[in-house]
Amino acid sequence: MKLFRPHRPFTNPNYQIKPISTPTSTTITAQSDHLDNDEKFVSHLLNIVRGKQSWRIALASPFVSSNLRPRHVEQVLAQTLDDSRLALRFFNFLGLHNNFTHSTASFCILIHALVRSNLVWPASSVLQTLILRGGPNNPALIFESLMRSYERLSFVSTYGFDLLVQNYVHYKRVLDSVVIVRLMCECRILPEVRTFSAVLNGLIRIKQFVMVLGLFDEIVGMGLRPDVYSRTAVVQSLCQLKDFDGAKEMIRSMESNGCELSVVTYNVLIHGLCKSRRAWEAVEVKNSLSQKGLKADVVTFCSLVLGFCAIKEFEVAKRLTDEMVELGFLPTKEALSCLVDGLRRKGCVADALDLVNKVGKVGLVPSPFVYNALINSLCKDGKLEEVEVLYNNMGEKGLFPSDVTYSILINSFCKRGQLDVGLCFLGKMTQVGIKPTVYHYNSLISGHCKLGKMHAAKDLLTGMIDKGLSPTVVTYSVLISGYCKEGEVHKAFRLYHEMTGKGISPNIYTFTALIYGLCHANKMAEASKLFNEMQQWNVIPNEITYNVMIEGHCREGNTVRAFELLDEMVKKGLVPDTYTYRPLISGLCSTGRVSEAKEFMDDLHTENRKLNEMCFSALLHGYCKEGRLKDAVSACSEMVERGVDVDIVCYAVLINGFLRHHGTKKLLGLLKEMHDQGLRPDNVIYTSMIDAYGKAGNLCKAFGVWDIMVSEGCIPNVATYTALIHGLCKAGSVDKAELLCKEMLVSSSIPNQITYGCFLDQLTTEGHMEKAVQLHNAMLIGSLANTVTYNILIRGFCKLGRIEDAVKILLEMGDNDILPDCISYSTIIYEYCRRGNLLEAMKLWDCMLSKGLNPDTVAYNFLIYGCCVAGELAKAFELRDEMMRRGLKPSMSTYNTLIVGTCLRS
């Protein structure tokens, strides 16, 4: 420590000693008596302190205890400077046993005395007590008292002031330590270099970087020679203030002044540069270390690795990691985790895995987060063998898989459709004592729902409830969505009511799923009602909800309401997208308003709304449906001009259009154009060609396309086989169709309901009902029978006039848990009406209504016809009015039937 003037009165203007007034003779006499008594009392205390009698007894005497004051203790301490340990014992005894409150001056005298005797630790302890005790604790006041004691008793060592500064830093009162340092300087006392460094680093911890620079200049200007740690603190502050030129200048000053150099200083600069995304400059600093006789350490390398990760230069970061491992350094978990995760996010999962294995050989284990992230990426990439290795590797490294690990594994495998593996991991986590949560079950339930395995999904729900887990809105919403996609809306609503009955509020996903189910079941009235009820639950429809509603109305042909919803969502600030526009375009086209659809698309283009291939394919489908093939080709050219590529779906629509309208020459041109664009016909295109030729009875061309398809390496699927089988059955070549079905069984394609339906349809058409029933029974055993196949049988029996057998088939559907539809009932109703049996027809009609089935226009026409034939004209008109109330529009057939019925009545 440097002391300019060891004995200088305290001159801080804020803390001046008050002048003493001139005493009178009476006062002097009184003071003299008082001082005389104090001297005698202090002498008595010294005898006790230095004597061999018991302190507890002597100091507890009424004479001592009633007269003892802090000034007496100060004098005793001042007169025991020769034995500071004794002074400390006396000081502590009074505080511990007599609950005596010492003055600040007593503390300060004792601190200086202990420092003078090199009892630094006890002196620091006394200082801590002074700083931490209650009452006024102004650092300037403590310094004043410490300074008074120092000057009054002529102490030489000023280390007590350094201890005060160090204690303030220790107790994170750094700004108070700065006050003391500046008061010391006013008294021409300079702190020790290490004390000064402690203050600077304390200021850095509280981010007072500007103060660091000011204090450094101030103290160094007074003559203190800073060490490497003080200068490094300045470099760090400059880096934090982004003044890298100043930081480099400070380092150059250290180099030129012969200051001891340390890699720590350069690491601070490297860290600052990397933090400011100037990693390439940091590399230059690292490369210059060898010229200064220094070597890069693990901190150098890790700072650089993190710096290059921050600027996404993961390859450079990996090379630096390889270099440090070769030098025998192990990267920190932070650096390794950041690099591995960066490589993973960039898609370099193999490199990330290689790095984990490499550092694992030298004993470094990445964090569990890194393992979980890598497992997640490998699952997404389908690298299941690597997942298994990494999963097992975690246990070997002492990082046992957590519930998060199992969540990733279960969720990933379920998303990929590998439900058995997901269930296996659920079992493993249970075996190791980790209790599954709702999240794990939600992943499994979602996976089963996506594959249509609703029964298994419902069993999982029951299982989780049995284990004491409460389903969440996510659980119910996933199941509701699954049922709606399978067309089982009634089961979805049953779950919805169960959920709300338990007090679980539905969210936007719940409502959107239910609305989707209703829309696809053509129950737009119920969908609209539910759409309006969302507000009662304070759930606001989003873009997806509106898109579902718009698509539902467009599918129904109600484009007016669909466009109203488009305007409504725009007013609410929701942004329509291609999923909004596509059904609108398709809806206009399906109602014969293709030109309006084209105008709508042109308007969107003018408004700079981007349309994709799906929107154009809807327009192309509309043109092709109306036979406007030239307009369709022109739309393709316009599509290219607008920067939208003609994809394989668009080509498929065009090809199907030309097939329907016998544009064979243009068809070959389209196939060549596809080839020139680097596109190859897929299963859909080949199947549509085979289906078109088969329906036209041109089986020779159908088999020709089949041969081309196989030669191009495009493997026929179940739809392709079914299309050719249908063509053969229609042409009466059932034997060849059966051979093709056997060939299909040998291949990887498995016949479905539609495939067998072709044979079923042909058998019923030819009147072979016994064989048809045998085939259908086989389909029932194979779980391939459905409402459509039953309807084929009903139609076959009705065609032969075997109405009783048709009714038996209708009843059998319910026994086999297959729900009849409107076609099932209306087919039999028509046969009853044709026979004039209106009574049975009405019974069946009422039965259909009681089961919640809504008749369509065709069903109404059948019953209206029956009423007219039976002479029940009033009932016929009543049915006409009823169908209109249901929102169904009477067709030309409806009015023709009513006209004929009226004429017959007349």
Side-chain angles (χ1 to χ4, degrees):
M1 175 175 295
K2 187 167 183 179
L3 180 64
F4 285 94
R5 192 165 63 190
H7 304 291
R8 181 177 181 272
F10 183 74
T11 58
N12 191 315
N14 297 318
Y15 303 98
Q16 291 291 337
I17 301 171
K18 294 181 180 179
I20 302 173
S21 58
T22 306
T24 63
S25 59
T26 306
T27 306
I28 292 172
T29 304
Q31 288 179 348
S32 177
D33 294 341
H34 179 71
L35 290 170
D36 187 49
N37 290 334
D38 271 1
E39 286 179 6
K40 289 179 182 178
F41 186 71
V42 169
S43 176
H44 179 69
L45 287 174
L46 283 169
N47 288 333
I48 294 173
V49 170
R50 293 186 184 276
K52 294 184 179 179
Q53 58 184 311
S54 169
W55 285 7
R56 185 183 297 276
I57 297 171
L59 294 175
S61 68
F63 172 69
V64 174
S65 60
S66 62
N67 290 292
L68 186 64
R69 299 290 182 270
R71 67 177 183 276
H72 302 136
V73 177
E74 293 170 17
Q75 292 179 51
V76 170
L77 293 173
Q79 293 182 49
T80 53
L81 296 178
D82 58 320
D83 191 351
S84 56
R85 292 183 186 274
L86 180 65
L88 178 62
R89 282 180 54 215
F90 173 63
F91 181 89
N92 286 336
F93 184 89
L94 290 177
L96 292 172
H97 298 285
N98 290 26
N99 293 321
F100 187 81
T101 304
H102 291 291
S103 66
T104 303
S106 295
F107 276 95
C108 294
I109 292 167
L110 184 59
I111 289 163
H112 282 305
L114 291 167
V115 167
R116 191 176 73 167
S117 301
N118 289 323
L119 298 173
V120 177
W121 186 86
S124 181
S125 178
V126 172
L127 251 175
Q128 290 174 20
T129 305
L130 174 61
I131 291 171
L132 297 176
R133 73 173 181 167
N137 199 0
N138 190 311
L141 291 177
I142 293 176
F143 176 81
E144 177 186 352
S145 183
L146 200 63
M147 190 68 194
R148 285 181 183 279
S149 302
Y150 173 77
E151 291 186 330
R152 184 162 65 87
L153 298 174
S154 301
F155 286 107
V156 176
S157 174
T158 57
Y159 190 65
F161 299 101
D162 282 87
L163 279 179
L164 180 60
V165 173
Q166 291 169 17
N167 272 281
Y168 275 126
V169 173
H170 174 74
Y171 286 107
K172 295 181 174 56
R173 294 173 60 178
V174 186
L175 295 178
D176 287 342
S177 75
V178 173
V179 171
I180 302 300
V181 168
R182 285 184 168 143
L183 288 172
M184 288 170 67
C185 292
E186 287 182 16
C187 297
R188 298 302 182 96
I189 301 173
L190 287 179
E192 284 194 351
V193 175
R194 68 191 184 103
T195 305
F196 182 52
S197 294
V199 174
L200 295 182
N201 284 291
L203 287 170
I204 287 173
R205 281 194 293 274
I206 62 172
K207 303 185 185 307
Q208 294 291 331
F209 309 116
V210 175
M211 190 177 286
V212 169
L213 303 180
L215 192 63
F216 181 85
D217 290 340
E218 188 179 328
I219 303 301
V220 172
M222 295 186 68
L224 183 72
R225 186 176 178 81
D227 62 358
V228 64
Y229 302 107
S230 305
R231 293 180 183 273
T232 301
V234 173
V235 172
Q236 185 173 353
S237 298
L238 289 166
C239 288
Q240 290 288 349
L241 295 170
K242 305 290 189 276
D243 184 3
F244 295 108
D245 291 336
K248 291 175 182 177
E249 182 60 36
M250 173 58 73
I251 292 176
R252 281 194 291 269
S253 171
M254 293 171 66
E255 293 169 351
S256 60
N257 291 335
C259 181
E260 179 189 357
L261 298 177
S262 168
V263 72
V264 175
T265 312
Y266 294 95
N267 284 345
V268 168
L269 177 60
I270 288 169
H271 176 77
L273 288 167
C274 289
K275 194 175 177 182
S276 294
R277 307 177 76 84
R278 296 167 67 169
W280 292 109
E281 289 183 50
V283 169
E284 293 176 9
V285 176
K286 175 250 180 189
N287 293 338
S288 69
L289 289 176
S290 58
Q291 300 171 8
K292 300 172 175 60
L294 299 172
K295 291 182 179 180
D297 61 9
V298 65
V299 177
T300 318
F301 280 103
C302 288
S303 296
L304 288 168
V305 168
L306 290 169
F308 279 105
C309 285
I311 61 174
K312 302 191 186 314
E313 292 283 355
F314 301 112
E315 292 80 3
V316 180
K318 188 175 184 302
R319 287 200 298 270
L320 284 163
T321 305
D322 292 339
E323 182 182 344
M324 68 187 295
V325 171
E326 288 173 7
L327 291 171
F329 298 129
L330 290 180
T332 62
K333 283 192 175 183
E334 181 190 8
L336 178 62
S337 299
C338 187
L339 176 55
V340 171
D341 193 50
L343 289 168
R344 179 189 68 84
R345 288 178 183 275
K346 198 176 179 181
C348 305
V349 181
D351 289 338
L353 191 59
D354 177 65
L355 183 61
V356 168
N357 293 332
K358 186 173 185 178
V359 297
K361 292 177 182 177
V362 293
L364 185 63
V365 181
S367 66
F369 169 79
V370 172
Y371 270 101
N372 290 341
L374 267 178
I375 287 172
N376 190 30
S377 293
L378 290 168
C379 286
K380 286 180 179 177
D381 293 343
K383 298 179 178 178
L384 306 183
E385 292 182 4
E386 287 91 335
V387 169
E388 192 72 25
V389 171
L390 208 58
Y391 170 78
N392 295 329
N393 193 26
M394 286 185 74
E396 294 171 5
K397 300 294 182 183
L399 291 175
F400 296 104
S402 64
D403 60 333
V404 176
T405 316
Y406 286 108
S407 294
I408 294 168
L409 289 166
I410 292 170
N411 188 47
S412 298
F413 280 105
C414 287
K415 279 185 176 179
R416 292 180 60 84
Q418 300 189 25
L419 305 178
D420 292 341
V421 182
L423 287 166
C424 177
F425 277 113
L426 183 73
K428 284 184 178 180
M429 71 180 292
T430 306
Q431 288 173 7
V432 297
I434 300 175
K435 291 183 178 180
T437 64
V438 176
Y439 180 83
H440 301 103
Y441 275 100
N442 285 351
S443 297
L444 287 163
I445 290 169
S446 177
H448 283 80
C449 288
K450 282 180 181 177
L451 293 182
K453 297 184 177 182
M454 297 308 301
H455 185 73
K458 192 69 167 60
D459 286 344
L460 282 166
L461 175 66
T462 306
M464 68 178 283
I465 293 172
D466 292 343
K467 286 182 170 58
L469 296 172
S470 300
T472 64
V473 64
V474 176
T475 318
Y476 280 109
S477 296
V478 166
L479 280 162
I480 288 168
S481 178
Y483 279 123
C484 287
K485 285 178 181 176
E486 291 297 309
E488 298 182 285
V489 185
H490 60 290
K491 290 184 179 179
F493 270 96
R494 195 181 302 158
L495 274 176
Y496 169 73
H497 294 306
E498 179 185 318
M499 176 182 77
T500 53
K502 290 181 178 180
I504 301 172
S505 299
N507 59 19
I508 185 64
Y509 303 104
T510 320
F511 280 113
T512 303
L514 288 168
I515 290 169
Y516 171 88
L518 290 169
C519 289
H520 278 258
N522 296 319
K523 297 181 178 181
M524 288 308 301
E526 291 90 334
S528 298
K529 183 181 178 183
L530 188 63
F531 182 78
N532 295 327
E533 285 178 4
M534 289 175 67
Q535 294 181 354
Q536 297 175 11
W537 291 91
N538 294 321
V539 178
I540 308 300
N542 60 13
E543 288 90 346
I544 299 173
T545 320
Y546 272 101
N547 290 348
V548 170
M549 285 294 294
I550 287 170
E551 186 176 8
H553 282 298
C554 287
R555 192 185 300 109
E556 195 181 49
N558 191 356
T559 53
V560 174
R561 178 56 185 152
F563 275 97
E564 287 175 355
L565 286 170
L566 172 65
D567 294 337
E568 185 180 308
M569 70 182 291
V570 172
K571 286 179 183 177
K572 289 185 176 180
L574 300 175
V575 181
D577 56 12
T578 52
Y579 292 97
T580 317
Y581 300 132
R582 183 190 56 80
L584 289 166
I585 295 164
S586 182
L588 289 170
C589 292
S590 64
T591 54
R593 297 154 67 189
V594 184
S595 297
E596 288 183 44
K598 178 66 170 60
E599 289 176 14
F600 176 57
M601 292 178 70
D602 291 340
D603 290 341
L604 291 173
H605 179 68
T606 305
E607 295 172 6
N608 294 319
R609 303 296 176 93
K610 292 185 177 180
L611 301 177
N612 62 4
E613 298 88 346
M614 291 192 302
C615 299
F616 277 98
S617 65
L619 180 65
L620 295 177
H621 187 269
Y623 277 135
C624 291
K625 187 179 177 182
E626 292 187 358
R628 297 166 61 178
L629 302 180
K630 287 184 179 180
D631 290 330
V633 174
S634 298
C636 279
S637 301
E638 191 175 309
M639 182 177 172
V640 174
E641 290 173 8
R642 293 181 180 179
V644 182
D645 294 329
V646 182
D647 65 355
I648 198 165
V649 176
C650 293
Y651 277 112
V653 171
L654 285 172
I655 289 168
N656 188 53
F658 280 102
L659 284 168
R660 288 175 61 186
H661 297 282
H662 311 293
T664 310
K665 292 182 180 179
K666 187 61 182 175
L667 178 64
L668 296 173
L670 281 172
L671 291 171
K672 184 180 183 304
E673 188 179 313
M674 278 186 69
H675 186 273
D676 294 340
Q677 294 291 333
L679 299 173
R680 294 287 183 274
D682 61 359
N683 279 10
V684 176
I685 293 176
Y686 280 123
T687 302
S688 65
M689 293 173 71
I690 291 168
D691 186 51
Y693 286 131
K695 285 177 179 177
N698 197 338
L699 293 174
C700 184
K701 282 191 175 182
F703 275 102
V705 173
W706 176 282
D707 293 337
I708 294 171
M709 177 182 182
V710 174
S711 66
E712 288 286 329
C714 188
I715 300 172
N717 58 18
V718 62
T720 319
Y721 275 104
T722 302
L724 200 52
I725 287 170
H726 180 260
L728 288 168
C729 287
K730 189 178 178 183
S733 302
V734 180
D735 294 340
K736 290 182 179 179
E738 289 178 355
L739 287 173
L740 194 62
C741 189
K742 290 177 181 178
E743 181 185 320
M744 183 181 181
L745 290 167
V746 174
S747 70
S748 58
S749 297
I750 299 173
N752 58 17
Q753 296 102 321
I754 301 172
T755 314
Y756 288 115
C758 295
F759 292 102
L760 197 65
D761 184 59
Q762 185 62 27
L763 288 169
T764 56
T765 301
E766 293 178 355
H768 303 309
M769 292 308 299
E770 284 68 26
K771 288 185 178 180
V773 170
Q774 288 176 6
L775 175 60
H776 196 263
N777 289 337
M779 291 174 69
L780 272 171
I781 295 169
S783 300
L784 292 172
N786 59 15
T787 305
V788 175
T789 59
Y790 268 107
N791 287 348
I792 292 172
L793 285 178
I794 290 170
R795 186 197 65 193
F797 280 120
C798 286
K799 188 178 178 181
L800 294 176
R802 297 167 62 178
I803 195 165
E804 293 80 8
D805 292 324
V807 172
K808 285 181 182 178
I809 293 292
L810 182 66
L811 296 173
E812 184 187 307
M813 290 178 74
D815 296 337
N816 290 319
D817 293 326
I818 296 175
L819 297 175
D821 62 6
C822 179
I823 297 172
S824 313
Y825 284 98
S826 60
T827 304
I828 301 174
I829 287 169
Y830 174 74
E831 188 60 26
Y832 275 129
C833 290
R834 196 175 65 82
R835 291 185 175 194
N837 194 344
L838 183 61
L839 180 62
E840 290 298 325
M842 290 301 299
K843 285 182 180 178
L844 205 57
W845 179 269
D846 292 337
C847 180
M848 177 176 69
L849 295 177
S850 67
K851 292 188 180 297
L853 292 172
N854 294 321
D856 58 12
T857 303
V858 175
Y860 271 107
N861 286 347
F862 286 164
L863 197 57
I864 288 170
Y865 164 78
C867 289
C868 288
V869 169
E872 297 285 344
L873 194 60
K875 181 63 178 174
F877 276 99
E878 190 179 309
L879 285 168
R880 190 276 312 267
D881 295 339
E882 182 185 313
M883 72 182 288
M884 292 177 70
R885 284 196 298 272
R886 286 179 177 268
L888 298 173
K889 294 179 181 180
S891 64
M892 186 61 69
S893 177
T894 314
Y895 289 111
N896 286 338
T897 304
L898 288 168
I899 291 167
V900 171
T902 304
C903 292
L904 289 173
R905 179 69 178 272
S906 300

